[in-house]
Amino acid sequence: MGLRVLAVDDEADFIETLVKRFTYRQIPVTAAGNGPDALALLERESFDVVILDMRMPGMDGLAVLQEIKKRHPLVEVIILTGHASVESGMQGMSLGAYDYVLKPVDFGELLEKAKKAYERKKLNESRADA
Amino acid sequence: MIQDELSRLRLKLIAVTLAFSFIPLLSLGLGLYAKFYDTYTEKIYGNLRNLADNKKVTIDLFLTERVAQLSNLALTESYADLSGDAYLERIFGVLQLHSKSFLDLQVIDQNGICVSYVGPYQLRGIDYSHEDWFRTVMAKGIHISDVFMGFRKYPHFNIAVSRREGDRTWVLRAAIDSDIFDSLVRTIQLGKSGDAFLLNAQHVLQTKPRFGHDMFDTVPFPDIPRFSGTRVDELSIGGEVSLYAMTWLNLKDWLLVIKDDPGEELLPLYRARWLLILLLCGGGTLIVIGAVFIANGTVRELIRAEREKATLDASLTQSSKMAALGKLAAGVAHEVNNPLAIIMEKAGWMRDLLSEEDIKASPNFQEFADAVAKIEFHVRRAKDVTHRLLGFARRMEPTQENLDVNLLLEQTRSFLENEANFRGIAFVRDYQADLPHIESDASQLQQVFLNILDNAIDAIDKNGSITIVTRKLPDTPEVEIAITDTGNGIPRETLEKIFDPFFTTKKVGEGTGLGLTISYSIIEKLGGRIKVASEEGKGTTFRITLPVSS
Ligand SMILES: Nc1ncnc2c1ncn2[C@@H]1O[C@H](COP(=O)(O)OP(=O)(O)OP(=O)(O)O)[C@@H](O)[C@H]1O
Ligand SMILES: [Mg+2]
C-alpha cells in the first residue's frame, strides 16, 4: 500500500493544483478546505501524510496540527507556511510536525519530504507493532 | 534660518555681556574721576584763595599803617607847627624811621596852596585847589590815589588826610613809593606762567606783571563789581583760559589778581584722566574680547548640541522607518506568497502536462516549455524578494550566545571561497588573535557578514582582494570588524542611499536591494553600528562595531 496524502489549505486554486499534480504522479490525494473538514476526513479514512497550511481562517494550522497529533499520533504532518520565518516552522516541528515547506512551494521538494515522512511513518508503525 | 537665529543670539549675548560689564566699569571709572576732580580742583582753588587772602591782608595792612601814621600826625601836630619847613622836616625824618616808603610830605591849606614841603622837589606855593583828589580829601577826610609816575618818573601814589583845626581845614599829603606793591605781589610763589598784579577800577595795572603788560597798561579784564572776600574763577582773557583769584582791597578800589595756569596746576588731573581713559580702553578691549569669546563658545556649544540632536533624530527616524517598513513588508510578503504559490503550482502542473506525448508533438511545444520555465524563474525571483522581506521583518528577539567573531567570519568566508577563487579574488585576513568573545546572535551576524562579503565580491567582479580586519576597540568595550574590498566603490551621491530598502545597482533578478537594509537593522538590533566609507574606483570599507556584551 502506497503513500496517501491529505492536503489542507483554504486557497482552492492552490489545493486543486496540488491534487492534480499528486494524482498525475499516481499518489492518492484528498483535499480539505479547512481544519475541521480535514479532521473529519481523518476520522473516516486513513492517511499517511497531511500537508497543512498554517494560516487558515477559522481553525488555524497550529490548532489543527495539535488535534491531529492528539488523535492520530502516527500520521505525519508537513507544514506549509507563507511566513518565511524559520521559527513558525520550528514551532510546528516542536509540536510534532515532520518538516516545513515555505510558500511558494517547490513541488519536487514537497514530494521528496512527503515520501520521507511516509518512510518515517512506516518505521514508527513497525516499531509500534513490535 | 537656524544660522540667522544663532548669529542673532550671538549678538544678543555679546550685547548683554558688554552692557553688564561696561555700565559698572564706566560708572566706577567716571565716578572716581569726578570725585578726584572735585577734590583736586577744590584743593587748587583753596590754595589760590588762601594766597590771595594773605596778600590782600598784607597790602591792606600796609595801607592802613600808612594812613594811620599820617592821621596820627595830623591829629597830634598843629597847622602852625607843621607849616614851618624846618619842623616838617623833623617830622618827616621820624616818619621815615618807621617806613622807608615815604617819599615826601607836604602841608596844604584850605585853599589848596602848598604851605610847606619836605622832599626832592620845590612844591611850595603850588595850587591844588582844582585837583579832584583835593576836593575829595576836603570832603571825606582821606584820599588814596592810584599809582602814577608824576614828575618823579617813578611809580608812586599819594595819601592825603585832612584835619579840622578851629575854623579851618588843612591837608597833610605824602607820596609813597609803590615799589612795595611790586615786591609784595612778586614774592607770591607761582608756577611757570603764574602772575599777580593790582588793578584799579578802570583795569589799569598798578604793579608790573611778570608777563605781557607794562605798568599802567589797561588790561582787557572783565568788569568785576566790588565784592567781599575772595573769588576763584576760570576766566578766558585774550583767548587764554586761566584760573584767577580776585579780591578787592579794603581801603582802596584796587583789585588784587592772582593768575595761575590751570594746565600746570591741573597736570596731575590730566594725567589721571589719561590713565583713566587708558584703563577704560584696556578694560573695554578685554571685555569685548571676553564677550566675543564667551558668545562664540556658547554658540559653538549650541551648534554642536544641535548637530548631535540632528544625528540622533536622523538615526531615530531611520530605525522607526525600518520598523514601520518591516511590518508593512511582512504583511505584503505574506499576502504575495499565497498567489505566488498558486502560480508556481499552476506552472508546475503545466510542466507535468508538457511531458504528455501528444503535447510534445505540438509545433509550439518549445514555446510552451520556455514560457513555463520563465514563469518559474520569475516566481522564484519574486520569492527571493518576499523571503528576504520576511527575514528582515522578523521580530525575533536576537539570541545571546558567546561567540568568537573570528571563527564566525572564517565560517562565513568559507561559503564564498569557491566563488572568490573562481573570480580571482583573494582574501586577506587580519584577525586579532586575542579578540574577546562577544555576546550576540551568530546566525543573524552570519547573515550580515554574508551580505557584505557578497556585495564586496559583486563590486570587485574579477581580480581583487577583500581584507577582513578584527580589532578590540581601545576605549570602549566593543569589537570592530572592517571589511575592505578593491571594488568599484560607491559614488558620493549614492552613499547615503545604500541602506535604503530596494536600493540596488544590480541587474534585474540579481539584487533585491535588501541586503544592506537587513544588515543595518540586524546590527542595530544587536546594539552595534555599521558605517561605510568609499572612494569611487578604489574600493569600499564597511565597519561594523559590536558590543562585547549586550
Ligand atoms: N562593497 C560595495 N562596493 C560597491 N557598491 C556596493 C558595495 N556594497 C553595496 N554596494 C551598493 O549598494 C547597493 C545595495 O546593496 P544591497 O546589499 O543592499 O543590495 P544588493 O546587493 O543590490 O542586493 P542583494 O543584497 O539582494 O543581492 C548595491 O546594489 C551596490 O550598488
Ligand atoms: Mg547585497
Side-chain angles (χ1 to χ4, degrees), chain B residues 285-515:
Chain B
T285 320
L286 275 183
I287 289 173
V288 170
I289 292 173
V292 170
F293 191 73
I294 289 173
N296 283 355
T298 313
V299 168
R300 216 177 306 122
E301 266 312 296
L302 274 177
I303 289 175
R304 202 183 53 73
E306 198 63 42
R307 284 227 182 92
E308 253 168 35
K309 195 173 149 271
T311 20
L312 187 70
D313 279 355
S315 77
L316 279 180
T317 359
Q318 179 76 357
S319 40
S320 65
K321 206 164 81 183
M322 292 281 170
L325 197 95
K327 275 190 196 130
L328 182 71
V332 170
H334 191 253
E335 288 315 313
V336 169
N337 275 345
N338 276 319
L340 277 182
I342 295 166
I343 295 168
M344 187 81 152
E345 284 320 302
K346 291 290 181 198
W349 177 229
M350 280 162 81
R351 176 180 295 288
D352 287 348
L353 294 181
L354 280 176
S355 55
E356 303 268 312
E357 294 297 327
D358 47 341
I359 296 180
K360 262 188 186 149
S362 146
N364 285 327
F365 173 76
Q366 201 46 49
E367 289 297 315
F368 286 126
D370 284 353
V372 168
K374 275 278 183 286
I375 291 171
E376 283 181 331
F377 171 78
H378 288 287
V379 168
R380 264 187 214 109
R381 190 180 138 202
K383 178 178 138 179
D384 281 351
V385 174
T386 57
H387 283 193
R388 286 207 107 158
L389 273 179
L390 284 165
F392 157 55
R394 206 159 50 180
R395 293 275 98 195
M396 193 172 80
E397 276 303 301
T399 57
Q400 291 290 329
E401 13 185 344
N402 187 281
L403 62 93
D404 180 350
V405 175
N406 291 344
L407 195 69
L408 192 66
L409 276 167
E410 206 40 35
Q411 279 173 5
T412 314
R413 193 190 60 82
S414 65
F415 294 153
L416 301 164
E417 190 96 69
N418 283 338
E419 170 92 4
N421 276 341
F422 177 68
R423 299 220 214 168
I425 297 171
F427 282 106
V428 178
R429 284 162 280 171
D430 177 7
Y431 298 154
Q432 183 178 328
D434 58 346
L435 193 74
H437 286 200
I438 67 168
E439 295 271 316
S440 209
D441 186 318
S443 67
Q444 295 201 22
L445 272 185
Q446 189 161 46
Q447 204 182 331
V448 173
F449 297 155
L450 207 59
N451 271 325
I452 291 175
L453 290 173
D454 249 342
N455 285 345
I457 290 175
D458 287 343
I460 294 170
D461 193 23
K462 281 200 174 70
N463 299 324
S465 69
I466 298 173
T467 310
I468 309 174
V469 182
T470 59
R471 286 285 179 272
K472 162 81 180 68
L473 289 184
D475 304 325
T476 49
E478 288 171 314
V479 296
E480 187 189 76
I481 300 118
I483 298 175
T484 307
D485 64 63
T486 56
N488 55 1
I490 306 166
R492 184 175 268 291
E493 54 285 2
T494 50
L495 202 57
E496 54 190 42
K497 292 196 209 132
I498 60 166
F499 292 106
D500 288 353
F502 303 111
F503 176 79
T504 179
T505 54
K506 291 170 190 170
K507 267 189 261 148
V508 177
E510 276 176 22
T512 60
L514 288 171

Side-chain angles (χ1 to χ4, degrees), chain B residues 46-64:
Chain B
N47 280 349
L48 268 180
R49 190 175 293 121
N50 275 347
L51 208 59
D53 275 346
N54 288 344
K55 286 299 158 188
K56 170 202 160 139
V57 168
T58 319
I59 295 170
D60 266 337
L61 196 68
F62 174 82
L63 287 176
T64 318

Side-chain angles (χ1 to χ4, degrees), chain B residues 40-286:
Chain B
Y40 194 79
T41 47
E42 190 65 35
K43 199 176 134 243
I44 289 174
Y45 279 39
N47 280 349
L48 268 180
R49 190 175 293 121
N50 275 347
L51 208 59
D53 275 346
N54 288 344
K55 286 299 158 188
K56 170 202 160 139
V57 168
T58 319
I59 295 170
D60 266 337
L61 196 68
F62 174 82
L63 287 176
T64 318
E65 272 175 6
R66 300 293 81 78
V67 170
Q69 273 178 316
L70 284 185
S71 302
N72 282 345
L73 218 59
L75 284 174
T76 48
E77 306 295 333
S78 69
Y79 175 75
D81 290 340
L82 289 177
S83 54
D85 276 352
Y87 189 72
L88 193 67
E89 186 140 8
R90 240 184 49 221
I91 294 294
F92 183 62
V94 177
L95 269 184
Q96 276 199 317
L97 271 184
H98 287 291
S99 168
K100 287 269 177 284
S101 38
F102 283 104
L103 296 174
D104 65 4
L105 189 65
Q106 55 185 319
V107 178
I108 299 153
D109 71 9
Q110 69 181 356
N111 299 321
I113 309 295
C114 173
V115 291
S116 59
Y117 174 82
V118 204
Y121 302 102
Q122 267 306 320
L123 297 182
R124 182 151 8 134
I126 286 185
D127 183 0
Y128 290 119
S129 60
H130 297 296
E131 303 280 340
D132 281 344
W133 64 265
F134 182 72
R135 274 181 227 131
T136 312
V137 75
M138 290 299 274
K140 290 193 177 162
I142 179 163
H143 173 258
I144 300 176
S145 76
D146 283 336
V147 177
F148 63 104
M149 290 299 237
F151 2 74
R152 291 166 203 269
K153 304 283 175 249
Y154 194 81
H156 67 283
F157 68 101
N158 291 318
I159 299 177
V161 293
S162 64
R163 155 110 197 262
R164 276 198 82 77
E165 198 177 337
D167 56 348
R168 66 165 167 224
T169 308
W170 53 278
V171 172
L172 191 63
R173 180 181 187 228
I176 294 172
D177 187 354
S178 73
D179 243 7
I180 182 83
F181 296 138
D182 277 305
S183 54
L184 269 176
V185 293
R186 200 137 315 143
T187 52
I188 294 177
Q189 280 299 318
L190 292 167
K192 260 184 246 140
S193 59
D195 210 344
F197 46 83
L198 283 171
L199 282 182
N200 74 1
Q202 285 77 44
H203 310 323
V204 177
L205 280 166
Q206 304 294 301
T207 58
K208 184 169 170 20
R210 275 172 81 193
F211 304 108
H213 292 282
D214 241 329
M215 206 157 170
F216 307 122
D217 281 357
T218 303
V219 182
F221 209 73
D223 279 320
I224 310 284
R226 219 187 147 84
F227 59 89
S228 67
T230 305
R231 235 162 67 185
V232 181
D233 276 329
E234 209 176 62
L235 296 178
S236 163
I237 290 166
E240 183 190 354
V241 179
S242 294
L243 277 179
Y244 289 91
M246 294 164 289
T247 183
W248 287 102
L249 297 186
N250 287 344
L251 282 185
K252 174 74 188 155
D253 52 351
W254 285 346
L255 186 67
L256 172 66
V257 178
I258 298 180
K259 174 187 158 196
D260 204 354
D261 178 15
E264 205 170 309
E265 282 297 330
L266 296 177
L267 200 64
L269 199 63
Y270 293 146
R271 283 218 193 96
R273 193 186 316 187
W274 276 113
L275 189 68
L276 181 78
I277 290 173
L278 216 73
L279 281 178
L280 282 184
C281 287
T285 320
L286 275 183

Side-chain angles (χ1 to χ4, degrees), chain A residues 1 9-10 12 16-17 22 32 34 39 44 48 52 62 67 69 75 85-86 93 95 98 109 116 124:
Chain A
M1 205 170 83
D9 198 327
D10 59 317
E16 176 200 312
T17 320
F22 274 109
N34 56 49
L39 289 172
R44 269 185 269 134
D48 301 308
L52 181 63
L62 278 180
E67 207 53 40
K69 279 289 150 186
V75 172
S85 60
V86 189
M93 286 175 74
L95 287 172
Y98 173 74
E109 187 189 332
K116 287 205 172 124
N124 285 344

